[in-house]
Amino acid sequence: MAVSMGTGEGVETAGEPVKETEAAVTNNKEDEAVTKEKPKADSDEEKNKRKDTYVKDMKPHIDEAISEYDKIWNDLWIPTFTKLGSNEITQIDAYKNIKDAQAKYDALFSQINKIEVPKGLTKEDKENIKEFKNGMTTSAMLRGDATKEAAKMIDTMDFSPSTMTEIEDIVSRSDAQMLSAIAHITSLEHGYGVER
């Protein structure tokens, strides 16, 4: 009878190897893995600490950026085109509004880029914030592009279908990027029970 010392060959009985030693080694490794994981388990205290860090140091910046994004659209873009459609605004005022929106989207782009991720968050949290920032900066940039095209359109009074379609396409791509950004930040917040 040959006995192996941890090589995984096992004990030979009636000419057939038995993997007793390998099974024992595997079970011991699994037990060690479980023991090693226990100290890394996420305690409620650690999770609450990360939640507080996010809510105090990160969420206000995100909320401010989203609010500004919506404000530019609702206060400048929508009213300008609504009034243009019903001849309630002059060409000059419409152009000024859209140029103002363009400047605000450019400033928002910079504002989002400057948001710093606080220390103490998980790798997954940081990834969600990174994806949020990427999506929102891209969306703000595209909205800025749409305002440039809209300003040209108003300046030249070129309301042709091709021009309108081009602007609508840019806005649509911007919306898709923003939805992606919101999905990432909602995923992070859901993990902490934070309402969006």
Side-chain angles (χ1 to χ4, degrees), residues 86-157:
S86 58
N87 293 320
E88 294 176 52
I89 193 171
T90 66
Q91 180 185 2
I92 292 170
D93 286 340
Y95 181 82
K96 282 180 183 175
N97 283 355
I98 295 302
K99 290 301 278 183
D100 189 23
Q102 182 183 335
K104 287 179 184 292
Y105 280 124
D106 289 346
L108 180 60
F109 178 88
S110 298
Q111 177 188 337
I112 299 160
N113 271 327
K114 289 177 185 171
I115 294 174
E116 291 186 20
V117 181
K119 292 180 181 177
L121 298 179
T122 66
K123 185 178 178 182
E124 186 181 353
D125 292 342
K126 290 175 184 175
E127 188 61 30
N128 275 320
I129 292 167
K130 177 186 166 193
E131 291 301 324
F132 167 80
K133 286 177 66 176
N134 288 343
M136 194 165 179
T137 51
T138 303
S139 184
M141 182 191 68
L142 286 167
R143 286 271 178 102
D145 290 347
T147 58
K148 286 176 194 169
E149 293 304 314
K152 278 189 227 171
M153 178 183 73
I154 292 167
D155 187 38
T156 60
M157 295 302 279

